[in-house]
Amino acid sequence: MKKVLILSGSPRKGGNSDILCDEFAKGALENGNEVEKIFVCEKKISPCTGCYYCKDHGGRCVFNDDMADILQKIIDCDVLVLSSPVYFYSICAQLKAVIDRTVARWTEIANKDLYYIATAAEDDEDTLDITLACFHGFAMCIDGYEEKGTLYGKGVYEKGEVKNRPELMTIAYEMGLSVHD
């Protein structure tokens, strides 16, 4: 059994990337894993200001918000799923704030299996390149990471539209199902 943490960056509960997170969770749970999904938009997370208060205070941030709890869960999980809709060819602000705030204890984030879920209205071949580069950039700062799967949910715009794309729902479910010891 692995500890799976899903960070759903979508600002729309029930949005396309959020729905795919739920499908991933369904598969991971079915395979006997412990799964927690954090809907990032519901959390109070201030953006990092680069003050480095954390450096002189044992990884404690100057902001007293929900990030300390989320960061501990990131450190403790075995599998980390990063999910975001694509906004202007990049990740959404909500997920970017989480990633930036990991700076407080980033050296403690290690040995993670990583999965990425990204959705976009456009269907062009390069639509998700920058979004995935953001995910990869975070991964490169993690010792012992392994990128295990990426779901490219292109061509979905309206909230919930991904439900009309059974191939995407299946891929998300099967990625979750692939999580095992």
Side-chain angles (χ1 to χ4, degrees):
M1 177 185 75
K2 290 195 173 191
K3 265 184 143 169
V4 178
L5 180 64
I6 301 170
L7 297 178
S8 178
S10 177
R12 300 189 299 182
K13 193 168 217 158
N16 293 312
S17 61
D18 190 47
I19 289 168
L20 293 173
C21 285
D22 290 340
E23 286 300 302
F24 184 100
K26 208 182 301 181
L29 282 167
E30 187 174 310
N31 208 12
N33 296 288
E34 178 184 323
V35 178
E36 179 178 2
K37 181 180 96 169
I38 295 175
F39 189 64
V40 174
C41 195
E42 291 180 343
K43 301 296 182 181
K44 183 178 182 232
I45 303 168
S46 298
C48 181
T49 61
C51 70
Y52 293 107
Y53 178 91
C54 55
K55 185 178 174 191
D56 299 322
H57 292 87
R60 199 177 72 232
C61 184
V62 69
F63 296 112
N64 184 18
D65 59 12
D66 294 327
M67 190 57 203
D69 182 50
I70 294 169
L71 183 50
Q72 189 60 56
K73 290 175 184 196
I74 292 170
I75 291 167
D76 292 342
C77 75
D78 303 303
V79 176
L80 181 61
V81 180
L82 300 174
S83 176
S84 177
V86 174
Y87 292 158
F88 294 97
Y89 297 95
S90 189
I91 63 174
C92 63
Q94 292 82 350
L95 188 61
K96 181 67 167 117
V98 171
I99 291 171
D100 289 349
R101 287 284 301 282
T102 64
V103 72
R105 296 173 61 197
W106 71 273
T107 59
E108 297 175 57
I109 303 171
N111 305 315
K112 306 290 175 218
D113 290 344
L114 300 173
Y115 292 86
Y116 309 131
I117 297 172
T119 57
E122 288 189 38
D123 203 8
D124 296 337
E125 189 172 321
D126 61 354
T127 296
L128 299 174
D129 291 355
I130 296 169
T131 303
L132 293 175
C134 291
F135 290 155
H136 293 308
F138 177 61
M140 291 170 50
C141 297
I142 299 172
D143 284 337
Y145 76 90
E146 189 173 341
E147 294 175 328
K148 298 288 231 174
T150 302
L151 174 51
Y152 302 91
K154 298 188 287 187
V156 291
Y157 175 69
E158 295 295 332
K159 183 177 178 179
E161 188 176 346
V162 74
K163 290 179 182 177
N164 300 325
R165 299 279 303 277
E167 73 280 10
L168 297 177
M169 300 289 280
T170 299
I171 292 168
Y173 171 77
E174 289 177 351
M175 277 184 8
L177 198 57
S178 74
V179 175
H180 57 81
D181 286 327

